[in-house]
Amino acid sequence: MRIFEVMRETRETNIYLKINIDGTGKYKIDTGIPFFDHLLASFAKHGCFDLIIKARGDLEVDDHHTVEDVGICLGLALNQLEKKNIFRFGWAIIPMDDARATVAIDLGGRSYCVGDYKPEREVVGNLSTENINHFFESVASYGMLNIHYEVKGKNEHHKVEALFKAFGVALDLATKIDERKGITSTKGEVKL
């Protein structure tokens, strides 16, 4: 089983994250931001990852540090993944009513994030929508992976939820084991 744990404690946050890449979509998530919990649950369920997150942040200030640091922790966990004998690339196009999200991922050891999500309102539930892009930037940066995404639609809740579902499905594909693959690079190594 590919199970990874990360703990991060700063003056702003205290986070515990555990992910089982080979899970069944079970989750227990408490970030103090209920809509963010919902998005992370959608990611876990549709990616078939078992995910535990317990986060405490300075929500009296705002939700930025908590969202950012959960992204950092998820990235750090994903960076522990053995890069041998996996698909490496994953992609998904997920509709949700009026919304459609597309995500493409490369677990090739290079950090880059290209996102096309332009929120049309400032908050969904109690989550600042400006932090959605920053979450994915944090995952990519600390996970040493490429994430490309775009979202279309009218309803902000649907747009963001479709994005997190697509992220889960794409990551599930990229992490699939295939013994034929070996190191999936013509260089003979994938940067860790």
Side-chain angles (χ1 to χ4, degrees):
M1 286 283 203
R2 298 175 293 169
I3 300 171
F4 308 108
E5 288 182 274
V6 174
M7 289 180 276
R8 177 179 170 84
E9 187 171 352
T10 70
R11 290 182 187 160
E12 300 163 339
T13 64
N14 186 342
I15 297 171
Y16 171 78
L17 181 145
K18 181 177 181 181
I19 187 168
N20 178 353
I21 299 297
D22 303 305
T24 59
K26 297 176 190 168
Y27 52 86
K28 185 175 182 181
I29 300 165
D30 179 10
T31 64
I33 309 166
F35 186 65
F36 190 41
D37 295 352
H38 173 64
L39 297 175
L40 293 165
S42 293
F43 158 76
K45 183 67 176 174
H46 294 280
C48 293
F49 307 117
D50 293 344
L51 183 64
I52 298 170
I53 300 174
K54 179 70 174 174
R56 286 295 161 253
D58 56 355
L59 296 177
E60 69 281 0
V61 174
D62 72 4
D63 57 346
H64 178 90
H65 297 133
T66 302
V67 174
E68 174 183 48
D69 284 15
V70 168
I72 289 170
C73 289
L74 181 57
L76 290 169
L78 295 174
N79 199 27
Q80 297 176 52
L81 182 69
E82 171 65 50
K83 306 299 191 296
K84 185 177 179 183
N85 294 323
I86 61 170
F87 272 50
R88 178 180 161 178
F89 302 101
W91 56 93
I93 302 171
I94 301 296
M96 185 171 178
D97 298 339
D98 61 290
R100 183 184 70 243
T102 304
V103 174
I105 293 174
D106 175 8
L107 297 177
R110 293 159 54 144
S111 168
Y112 213 86
C113 184
V114 178
D116 184 14
Y117 166 63
K118 296 173 185 75
E120 294 180 27
R121 64 185 226 221
E122 292 183 13
V123 178
V124 177
N126 52 353
L127 176 66
S128 302
T129 52
E130 69 182 0
N131 291 328
I132 300 297
N133 290 317
H134 191 52
F135 170 80
F136 286 104
E137 291 164 357
S138 298
V139 173
S141 180
Y142 285 81
M144 297 302 295
L145 62 136
N146 276 206
I147 304 173
H148 288 244
Y149 60 91
E150 63 180 34
V151 185
K152 305 292 182 195
K154 296 176 184 171
N155 182 288
E156 215 63 36
H157 181 131
H158 294 166
K159 288 162 53 178
V160 178
E161 187 171 342
L163 177 57
F164 273 74
K165 288 176 179 178
F167 178 49
V169 172
L171 187 61
D172 182 42
L173 178 59
T175 58
K176 290 280 185 232
I177 294 174
D178 184 341
E179 297 294 333
R180 303 171 304 152
K181 296 282 188 178
I183 299 295
T184 52
S185 171
T186 56
K187 295 175 186 161
E189 68 176 29
V190 174
K191 242 168 76 173
L192 301 175

